[in-house]
Amino acid sequence: FSFKMHHRFSDPVKEWLPAKGSFEYYSELARRDRFLRGRKLLAFSDGNSTFRISSLGFLHYTTVQLGTPGMKFMVALDTGSDLFWVPCEGTAYAPDFEVSKYDPEGSSTSKRVSCNNSLCRNRCMGSNNCPYMVSYVSAETSTSGILVEDVLHLKTEDELVEAYVTFGCGQVQSGSFLDVAAPNGLFGLGMEKISVPSILSREGFTADSFSMCFGHDGVGRINFGDKGSPDQEETPFNVNPTYNISVTQIRVGTDMDIDFTALFDSGTSFTYLGDPTYTRLSESFNSLARDKRDPRIPFEYCYDMSSDANASFIPSLSLTMKGGSQFAVYDPIIVISTQSELVYCLAVVKSTQLNIIGQNYMTGYNVVFDREKFVLGWKKFDCYDVENHTSLPFKPNSTPPAVAVGLGHHSTPE
C-alpha cells in the first residue's frame, strides 16, 4: 500500500481551503491544529494559532472577533505597544487580504469610552468621547481615533468566554499601517492597564501572564494565562513598563562580554542593535563566515549562496541573559532570493535608538511574558507538541521590509 503525503501549505491542500487571505482561510488552518494542548488556557474564539505573513511585514497575525454580532479582524501581535486598535474609518491597501472595519453603531454591545474613564489619558476636545493617538517607531506610522468598549470573543478548551475590553476605534492611520504592516489592526500586548492581557487578568479571566510560540514554519500560538513550565529558562524584566531585559554576553564563535538592554518585541520583524553591540556582533559574524560578502539593504552583512558556497558553515549565535540563562538564536539569518541568485544575511539591523530583539530571533521558542513574576521565560518548542527541532531552514524570500511597528503608547505620542 502507498499513500500520498502533503504539507498543509502545499498546493493540493490549499485547493481544499477557502480563498487565501480570507478570515475563513486562516480559521480553517487554525481549526486543523490541536487546540490549547489541554492546558485550560484562554485563546481567541477562532483558536490560538498565529501566522507570519510575509506580504504584511513578516509579523505574526491572528484572527480576533469583536462585537455583537461578532466581526473578524486579522491583527498583528505586538508586545512592544499597549493599545489594541482596529480600523473604523480610512482606507488601506493589503494585497490578497481582507480588510474589515469596525462599526460602533453596528454592534449592540459597543459603548464609547467617556472622558472621565480611568483608561482615558488624553484631553477631550469638544466631545465626551475619549480620543487616543499612538505614534510608532516606523517612520510616520501612527493611528488615532476614539476609545470604545466591546465584547472580545474568547474560549477555553471547553467553553466560550465574552470579555469586555477597551480598544481603539481607528479613524486615521498613517505610514506602515496603510500597506505593509497591520492594515486591519494591531493587538498591543504591553504592560499598561489598557492592554488586553492587563484587562483579562484584572477582571479575573486569567493569570497575569501569556505566551507566544514562534514556529519554524511561520505558524505559532498565543495563550493567555500561560505561565510556562518549571524547566523553562528565565531572566528578569528591568524595572520599567516594557518587556525590557538585560544581555550580558554574546557568543558568535567565541564569547564576547557585553552589557546592554533590549526590548523583546513581537511587533518588530527583525532584530535592531545599536553600537557598540551591533559592530562587535556583526564583525565577529563576518570574521567566521566563509562565503563571499554581498551587502544588501537593509542588512549590511550578506553572503552569496552560490553552488560552491559553504552555507553549512554559517556562524551560530547565542545570548546570555541576566541571571546566566542561555538563549540560542535558531534563526540568525534570513535568505533572500532574486531571479538569478540566493543570498543569506545576518538578520540584524543597525539602530540609532533602541535595542530590540525582534520576532525573528524568537523562532523555535515558546516565549512566556510572566507579568506576575516579572520575568521573561523561554523554552525550545516547535508549537506542535514536538520538541528538539534543531534544523535551520533555508526558505527563499523576497527582500523583506524591516518593519518596526512596536513601541507605541496610547496616551503620549513618542
Side-chain angles (χ1 to χ4, degrees):
F1 297 95
S2 64
F3 301 90
K4 288 185 177 180
M5 298 176 64
H6 297 288
H7 187 274
R8 69 200 194 106
F9 290 130
S10 65
D11 289 337
V13 174
K14 287 179 180 178
E15 291 176 1
W16 306 332
L17 294 173
K20 185 175 181 180
S22 67
F23 294 116
E24 290 76 14
Y25 172 84
Y26 291 105
S27 295
E28 179 63 17
L29 291 181
R31 188 189 67 79
R32 296 182 181 193
D33 293 327
R34 276 185 254 172
F35 178 71
L36 293 182
R37 304 193 296 276
R39 297 174 63 190
K40 301 295 184 182
L41 303 177
L42 193 62
F44 298 112
S45 58
D46 276 34
N48 63 346
S49 291
T50 67
F51 305 92
R52 185 180 63 222
I53 303 178
S54 58
S55 62
L56 295 179
F58 280 78
L59 301 177
H60 271 255
Y61 291 78
T62 196
T63 301
V64 300
Q65 192 170 171
L66 281 171
T68 307
M71 189 172 188
K72 295 182 180 182
F73 299 83
M74 184 69 75
V75 295
L77 298 167
D78 182 16
T79 60
S81 66
D82 299 294
L83 184 68
F84 167 33
W85 65 266
V86 294
C88 290
E89 300 176 16
T91 58
Y93 171 72
D96 303 320
F97 185 77
E98 291 181 2
V99 177
S100 302
K101 292 181 182 178
Y102 174 78
D103 178 12
E105 307 302 324
S107 172
S108 63
T109 48
S110 177
K111 184 173 70 173
R112 302 192 182 212
V113 174
S114 64
C115 297
N116 58 5
N117 190 295
S118 62
L119 295 179
C120 184
R121 303 281 184 85
N122 286 350
R123 187 194 308 179
C124 296
M125 303 292 290
S127 169
N128 194 36
N129 295 327
C130 178
Y132 79 88
M133 163 68 184
V134 187
S135 295
Y136 298 83
V137 166
S138 291
E140 300 178 351
T141 296
S142 66
T143 176
S144 61
I146 62 171
L147 295 182
V148 298
E149 182 184 87
D150 208 340
V151 170
L152 175 64
H153 298 269
L154 303 163
K155 65 181 178 181
T156 63
E157 189 176 15
D158 50 16
E159 67 176 333
L160 297 176
V161 176
E162 292 186 348
Y164 279 86
V165 300
T166 297
F167 59 95
C169 172
Q171 297 170 334
V172 179
Q173 278 67 249
S174 66
S176 297
F177 292 146
L178 297 181
D179 47 25
V180 74
N184 207 204
L186 189 76
F187 201 91
L189 292 160
M191 289 189 180
E192 293 285 357
K193 291 182 178 180
I194 200 167
S195 76
V196 172
S198 298
I199 294 172
L200 294 180
S201 64
R202 192 164 62 243
E203 297 299 322
F205 288 105
T206 66
D208 195 8
S209 182
F210 68 92
S211 67
M212 294 182 70
C213 192
F214 299 88
H216 289 271
D217 59 357
V219 177
R221 299 285 183 273
I222 180 168
N223 289 313
F224 296 103
D226 188 3
K227 296 180 69 66
S229 56
D231 59 343
Q232 69 185 8
E233 300 290 332
E234 294 182 347
T235 191
F237 291 126
N238 296 318
V239 184
N240 56 52
T242 61
Y243 303 119
N244 185 285
I245 52 87
S246 293
V247 178
T248 60
Q249 196 175 68
I250 296 178
R251 171 179 280 270
V252 188
T254 59
D255 290 331
M256 294 183 291
D257 290 328
I258 196 164
D259 192 3
F260 68 93
T261 62
L263 183 79
F264 249 71
D265 183 14
S266 67
T268 301
S269 310
F270 302 104
T271 294
Y272 287 69
L273 295 175
D275 273 334
T277 305
Y278 172 81
T279 297
R280 292 186 63 184
L281 168 62
S282 54
E283 289 185 352
S284 179
F285 184 92
N286 185 59
S287 69
L288 295 171
R290 302 189 184 184
D291 302 310
K292 181 182 178 182
R293 189 172 167 192
D294 181 5
R296 296 293 172 110
I297 301 298
F299 305 109
E300 184 179 2
Y301 288 85
C302 298
Y303 307 86
D304 290 331
M305 287 184 66
S306 57
S307 58
D308 59 346
N310 297 315
S312 60
F313 296 108
I314 295 171
S316 61
L317 171 63
S318 66
L319 309 174
T320 302
M321 305 297 193
K322 182 178 180 180
S325 292
Q326 297 296 309
F327 188 94
V329 178
Y330 296 119
D331 261 353
I333 66 164
I334 185 170
V335 177
I336 300 172
S337 65
T338 66
Q339 291 183 343
S340 60
E341 62 183 341
L342 288 174
V343 298
Y344 67 90
C345 303
L346 174 64
V348 179
V349 181
K350 188 173 184 179
S351 172
T352 57
Q353 301 177 31
L354 301 167
N355 296 314
I356 301 172
I357 305 298
Q359 59 90 7
N360 67 317
Y361 276 24
M362 303 179 203
T363 298
Y365 285 109
N366 187 59
V367 182
V368 177
F369 298 83
D370 192 329
R371 298 130 58 92
E372 289 181 358
K373 291 174 58 181
F374 213 58
V375 298
L376 179 80
W378 63 93
K379 183 179 179 180
K380 186 178 179 181
F381 211 70
D382 72 353
C383 310
Y384 290 96
D385 286 336
V386 179
E387 302 191 37
N388 298 320
H389 186 114
T390 57
S391 62
L392 177 63
F394 284 120
K395 296 182 180 179
N397 295 296
S398 57
T399 303
V403 175
V405 167
L407 302 175
H409 194 281
H410 78 278
S411 59
T412 304
E414 298 179 357

